[in-house]
Amino acid sequence: MNRYILLIACSLAVVLLSGCIEELVPLEKVSESPDPSMYEFDVFLNGSQLNGNFARTSTFYLSTTPSVKVVNMIDNESLLDIMAPEGITTTDDDVLSNIVVIADPAINTSSSIEVFQNYSKEQKVSSFNYTVSKKVIKGQKHIYLNFSEPIRGYVAYTMAVPTSQNFLHISEAPSVVRVVLPKDHTTGNPLLGRARPDPEDIYYDDKGRMNLVWYNMGTEKSSVVGMFEALFKTGIQTPPSTRKLIAVKFYKDSAPAHLLVAGVILFSLALVVIADYLKKRRKLRKLREEIEATAKGKKPQV
């Protein structure tokens, strides 16, 4: 009997120890290949050429999940400064994912719309060497994608954000910023929220999505920038006065109608409550007058 108990105890010990050993052995993280099919490589320049090159154009494809797909059109630049959104609970390494580079050395290509059109059609991932570094400046997290040489083409990535329907971005000058809302979503209602500052262009694409566009961002200093200059000072490429905050609150197309219906219902309920209150007040006043008249021996007034 004791032999069986000892055998069972040894077996349990082997199982438990093997489980602990498996937990202690770190698994090597397998790096996933970048997937360009996750992004939309649109040629969106719209006359933003400056001194022979196009200004950086960044398109943010918002979603109802806490993530944003970002596609940057880079023209003769080697450094991409990305400000990590505040409130991110993931680690710094998880803020950016699925980084896709479709580009060539700027020295081997010329700045033209045709070049970007070719990149958008081919969608062949380039084997560029780049480093990812992080730095906190004045409390603001910065993530730098640093290429060994200036490039011309697309740099796309998926960025984690703290909330799904409140988007914040700090632009650099000169730059063009386009924000694409999810289908069946909108913005602009003064009660539910709107985009700040007001977009310079609003249109719907062939997928029925609302597009908000800001041109030449950061070239004009606003009161909003003044509030954030001290916080977002970086000293890299652009001075703090050339940065500008973009905030977009978006929601379902049906949200304003639902808000109106809810407001009508609440207003109706308020009227019912007020009417009931006035009715009971008149009744109590009449009852008080009757009691006072009876106490004085007078006939109450009708």
Side-chain angles (χ1 to χ4, degrees):
M1 184 67 179
N2 293 333
R3 182 181 302 175
Y4 288 114
I5 295 176
L6 180 62
L7 182 61
I8 294 173
C10 291
S11 300
L12 290 174
V14 170
V15 172
L16 292 175
L17 287 175
S18 63
C20 294
I21 292 174
E22 285 183 355
E23 291 179 0
L24 292 175
V25 175
L27 297 176
E28 185 178 354
K29 186 177 180 181
V30 180
S31 59
E32 297 181 357
S33 300
D35 182 9
S37 65
M38 298 291 293
Y39 303 107
E40 300 178 38
F41 297 97
D42 294 336
V43 182
F44 187 80
L45 294 170
N46 286 17
S48 60
Q49 197 161 14
L50 181 66
N51 298 328
N53 295 102
F54 289 102
R56 180 185 300 174
T57 300
S58 301
T59 301
F60 297 85
Y61 295 90
L62 308 187
S63 68
T64 55
T65 62
S67 66
V68 175
K69 289 182 173 61
V70 188
V71 178
N72 297 281
M73 299 182 67
I74 305 298
D75 196 21
N76 196 23
E77 293 187 70
S78 60
L79 179 66
L80 194 60
D81 181 3
I82 304 167
M83 292 192 183
E86 293 293 335
I88 289 294
T89 57
T90 57
T91 62
D92 291 340
D93 296 333
D94 295 331
V95 175
L96 300 185
S97 61
N98 192 31
I99 301 175
V100 173
V101 180
I102 303 177
D104 280 314
I107 195 173
N108 296 337
T109 58
S110 59
S111 180
S112 65
I113 295 179
E114 289 74 17
V115 169
F116 289 100
Q117 288 175 339
N118 292 334
Y119 290 141
S120 65
K121 294 175 183 177
E122 294 177 1
Q123 295 190 11
K124 184 179 179 180
V125 179
S126 306
S127 56
F128 267 104
N129 292 325
Y130 62 88
T131 60
V132 180
S133 59
K134 295 161 288 186
K135 192 173 183 180
V136 178
I137 303 175
K138 299 294 184 179
Q140 174 63 47
K141 296 179 182 178
H142 291 255
I143 302 175
Y144 300 108
L145 295 183
N146 200 342
F147 296 88
S148 58
E149 59 181 317
I151 65 172
R152 178 172 288 116
Y154 292 93
V155 177
Y157 52 83
T158 299
M159 181 172 61
V161 292
T163 57
S164 59
Q165 293 183 292
N166 289 282
F167 174 71
L168 294 176
H169 170 66
I170 305 203
S171 66
E172 288 185 304
S175 64
V176 176
V177 177
R178 179 174 60 148
V179 174
V180 181
L181 303 187
K183 188 177 180 180
D184 300 327
H185 284 70
T186 187
T187 188
N189 187 286
L191 296 179
L192 294 176
R194 53 185 301 184
R196 296 287 188 179
D198 293 333
E200 298 177 53
D201 191 12
I202 299 177
Y203 67 92
Y204 287 85
D205 58 23
D206 54 0
K207 296 183 179 180
R209 300 173 302 186
M210 176 182 281
N211 287 238
L212 314 175
V213 185
W214 292 263
Y215 302 101
N216 300 321
M217 288 303 298
T219 56
E220 295 181 3
K221 189 172 179 181
S222 66
S223 59
V224 177
V225 177
M227 297 169 57
F228 290 91
E229 278 187 12
L231 181 62
F232 300 120
K233 185 180 294 184
T234 64
I236 295 180
Q237 287 192 339
T238 54
S241 61
T242 63
R243 297 186 182 274
K244 197 167 186 178
L245 175 68
I246 292 177
V248 179
K249 169 71 175 177
F250 62 99
Y251 30 81
K252 295 281 289 184
D253 289 337
S254 57
H258 291 165
L259 179 64
L260 178 61
V261 172
V264 171
I265 293 175
L266 290 176
F267 182 73
S268 301
L269 291 176
L271 291 179
V272 171
V273 171
I274 293 173
D276 183 66
Y277 167 76
L278 294 176
K279 181 179 179 181
K280 290 181 178 179
R281 184 178 178 182
R282 286 194 299 267
K283 186 176 180 180
L284 290 174
R285 180 183 298 173
K286 183 178 180 180
L287 180 61
R288 186 186 64 183
E289 291 176 353
E290 291 177 354
I291 294 174
E292 290 178 353
T294 303
K296 294 179 180 180
K298 297 182 180 179
K299 186 177 180 180
Q301 297 180 356
V302 179

